[in-house]
Amino acid sequence: MKPAALLLGLVLAVAGCAQFGLRETALSTPIAPSEVDWARRSGANTVSGIALMKAGGTSYTCAGQSANLIPDSAYARARMTAIFGNATKGTRAASLGAVKFERDDPLYVSTLRTTRCDASGSFSFARVPDGVWYVTSSVKWQGASQVEGGSIMQRVDVRGGRLVKVSLP
């Protein structure tokens, strides 16, 4: 029975490394300009929302923090998965610390859109072109012994000149 358990452990370890390798490859492969050119255009959509977390009966918002709108690409999907565990919707606790990347792809940086959350934790992006985007922000506050809250993300599909409302988390 021990050889079977050892073999199973080896298979799982190799599978885990293969999965990590896929993520690493996507993050180390530069974004092709054609993959994000659409995101540089002006569109007829608006993405607006609010970012807030509740703890102990108190609501905390992203007030004063950045909200980001990031165009979908293989690089962005791999990055969201590395940070949030998936590329659909997630939260990363502040206590886990920031995920460090060796360097950001220049196209990733130049195609993301950033705005500030207002005093109520609301944000808005106007003139957004049709496509799949990631909305990210952070909600953090000082707890009794450490920073609480964290970073939050949601994938949105924006099409047809409409208003898309997002509630993070």
Side-chain angles (χ1 to χ4, degrees), residues 99-129:
V99 175
K100 302 289 184 194
F101 297 98
E102 192 169 313
R103 70 172 193 81
D104 291 323
D105 186 294
L107 279 176
Y108 176 84
V109 175
S110 69
T111 57
L112 69 84
R113 299 175 185 207
T114 301
T115 191
R116 287 265 174 232
C117 296
D118 68 15
S120 65
S122 296
F123 55 86
S124 187
F125 297 92
R127 299 182 307 280
V128 176

Side-chain angles (χ1 to χ4, degrees), residues 20-31 74-79:
F20 179 76
L22 287 174
R23 220 181 299 164
E24 185 63 31
T25 301
L27 283 170
S28 60
T29 303
I31 299 172
Y75 181 92
R77 286 188 299 278
R79 188 179 175 97

Side-chain angles (χ1 to χ4, degrees), residues 54 56 61 68 90 102 109 124 137 150 167-168:
K54 294 183 180 183
T61 71
N68 305 295
E102 192 169 313
V109 175
S124 187
S137 190
S167 288
L168 298 173

Side-chain angles (χ1 to χ4, degrees), residues 18-54:
Q19 181 180 6
F20 179 76
L22 287 174
R23 220 181 299 164
E24 185 63 31
T25 301
L27 283 170
S28 60
T29 303
I31 299 172
S34 61
E35 196 176 7
V36 292
D37 280 346
W38 61 270
R40 295 183 185 276
R41 297 184 199 117
S42 183
N45 302 290
T46 300
V47 176
S48 67
I50 187 166
L52 71 96
M53 293 180 172
K54 294 183 180 183

Side-chain angles (χ1 to χ4, degrees), residues 127-151:
R127 299 182 307 280
V128 176
D130 290 356
V132 175
W133 297 83
Y134 297 95
V135 182
T136 67
S137 190
S138 60
V139 175
K140 296 178 182 174
W141 64 93
Q142 184 59 50
S145 61
Q146 67 181 9
V147 174
E148 303 281 341
S151 299

